[in-house]
Amino acid sequence: MNEFFPILIPIIGILGVIAGVLLNEFVRRRNRRELYAPKVFEKRLTIYEGLAEHIHQGSEIASEVIDNKSLTLEQRHDLITVPISAIATYTDANSLYIDDELGAHCTALFMGVEDIHDASDTNKEQLLKNYYHMRKEAMRMIAEDSGIAEINRLFKAINRPKLSGPLIERLRELRREQR
């Protein structure tokens, strides 16, 4: 047993040095991520706010395309091409921060809206329902991917607001029925 002590002590020392180097590298990388995370979050938030604004502007144009009876098919197509092109350009320019699938969804959101006006009543209802669902999902995904949805859940857990009233209760009832 005494013959192993001279060898055992240097081996333990070498293992300690190796463990220290690995632990130091782990802590250094973690600190670097924590240093850049707030900057990246702010940048992503700004970009996703811009994407949501593009969708809101596109929704206004889509409403005009759907409701204005004096527009021809070509005029409706030209009008709705503007927000589609703007969203496609925006998502491409910010592809480092915007999820590819979400960017594709948002770009395709207004495609086909120009056909809703001329559709038959039964088909028109389904096309409108699909468009509104896609728009709602786009906004939900933006909130989820940007981190806002999680922060809002955290604030609600901290504040525990008791929001109610006749309108709010009716909205909750409609949501339950829709599910």
Side-chain angles (χ1 to χ4, degrees):
M1 183 80 172
N2 283 341
E3 61 227 28
F4 291 115
F5 274 137
I7 296 173
L8 189 60
I9 293 175
I11 290 176
I12 291 173
I14 291 172
L15 290 176
V17 168
I18 292 172
V21 167
L22 293 174
L23 184 62
N24 182 42
E25 183 64 19
F26 172 76
V27 169
R28 186 182 65 79
R29 288 184 182 193
R30 185 172 176 201
N31 286 341
R32 186 174 61 207
R33 275 186 298 222
E34 289 175 2
L35 177 69
Y36 290 115
K39 294 175 186 175
V40 171
F41 179 77
E42 276 188 48
K43 180 76 173 173
R44 283 175 54 98
L45 186 58
T46 302
I47 288 170
Y48 276 111
E49 286 173 346
L51 181 58
E53 182 59 32
H54 275 80
I55 290 173
H56 287 300
Q57 291 171 357
S59 296
E60 291 175 8
I61 294 171
S63 293
E64 175 72 18
V65 167
I66 292 167
D67 297 333
N68 191 336
K69 297 180 186 332
S70 65
L71 295 174
T72 66
L73 179 61
E74 185 177 313
Q75 289 171 326
R76 288 194 302 270
H77 179 74
D78 291 344
L79 273 175
I80 205 65
T81 299
V82 173
I84 293 170
S85 177
I87 291 172
T89 302
Y90 188 81
T91 56
D92 285 347
N94 295 294
S95 62
L96 184 62
Y97 297 99
I98 296 176
D99 180 76
D100 292 339
E101 292 170 345
L102 177 57
H105 177 90
C106 292
T107 301
L109 174 61
F110 299 111
M111 291 179 182
V113 168
E114 70 274 13
D115 299 328
I116 294 174
H117 182 271
D118 293 333
S120 65
D121 287 340
T122 55
N123 197 21
K124 186 176 188 174
E125 186 178 315
Q126 182 59 36
L127 290 172
L128 277 171
K129 187 177 180 181
N130 184 46
Y131 162 65
Y132 291 134
H133 177 72
M134 282 186 64
R135 188 177 67 186
K136 179 181 172 185
E137 282 298 300
M139 297 309 290
R140 181 194 62 76
M141 288 187 284
I142 287 171
E144 288 288 332
D145 200 40
S146 67
I148 290 298
E150 185 65 31
I151 290 173
N152 285 340
R153 282 191 287 272
L154 178 65
F155 284 155
K156 281 186 178 182
I158 292 170
N159 294 338
R160 299 191 194 279
K162 296 190 190 300
L163 305 175
S164 76
L167 181 62
I168 293 173
E169 293 303 320
R170 179 66 180 142
L171 285 172
R172 288 178 183 157
E173 182 180 316
L174 288 172
R175 284 188 190 129
R176 281 191 298 269
E177 288 173 7
Q178 194 175 35
R179 289 185 192 136

